[in-house]
Amino acid sequence: MIERLRAQPLFADLDEETLVRLAAETTELEAPAGQLLIEYRAPGSGLFVLEEGQATVEAPDGRFELGPGDVFGERALLGENVPRAARVRAETDVRCLAIARPAIDRLLAQEPRIGERLRELSS
């Protein structure tokens, strides 16, 4: 899991200790084409990094395509300029890294540059 996190631009320059802690709270999420990955206000909040496949954000203000390396999750994590996602649906078979909200909150407090990079990647 550490190498998979390191391969993502968002986490590429984190030190080994930080990656180990983050990996401990990261799981893999796989979904076949057509399945919902997340739904607004659904349990299991956090940050998701799409590793493989294509997905679509279905939001009140439009549809947005996601591909490998894109991040999605709660508006509180991503910033106000990001459309509120009602749902994220897999368009093809997908694989994501799902990182628990407490781990992301700790990472953002420890590494402020991650927050800036996160907003860039999610806009």
Side-chain angles (χ1 to χ4, degrees):
M1 186 64 69
I2 292 170
E3 291 306 316
R4 290 170 66 187
L5 287 168
R6 185 179 286 120
Q8 298 302 318
L10 182 60
F11 307 120
D13 62 349
L14 291 179
D15 63 68
E16 193 71 18
E17 182 180 330
T18 302
L19 281 169
V20 168
R21 285 194 311 269
L22 192 59
E25 296 189 65
T26 300
T27 58
E28 182 178 284
L29 173 65
E30 292 183 335
Q35 181 176 322
L36 283 179
L37 293 167
I38 60 170
E39 190 159 1
Y40 182 62
R41 296 187 185 205
S45 63
L47 180 75
F48 301 85
V49 180
L50 191 60
E51 283 190 296
E52 293 179 6
Q54 302 291 318
T56 301
V57 175
E58 300 169 350
D61 48 353
R63 292 172 55 96
F64 307 91
E65 300 300 318
L66 300 171
D70 287 336
V71 295
F72 56 99
E74 296 175 63
R75 187 178 201 148
L77 285 169
L78 301 177
E80 287 304 310
N81 61 332
V82 176
R84 183 180 304 271
R87 300 187 285 191
V88 176
R89 182 178 306 280
E91 296 299 324
T92 65
D93 293 352
V94 299
R95 186 176 73 189
C96 300
L97 297 176
I99 307 166
R101 176 67 189 262
I104 290 297
D105 287 341
R106 284 190 300 277
L107 179 63
L108 292 172
Q110 175 188 345
E111 303 280 348
R113 72 184 187 282
I114 297 294
E116 294 170 22
R117 200 175 304 149
L118 181 57
R119 284 184 284 283
E120 289 171 13
L121 289 170
S122 63
S123 60

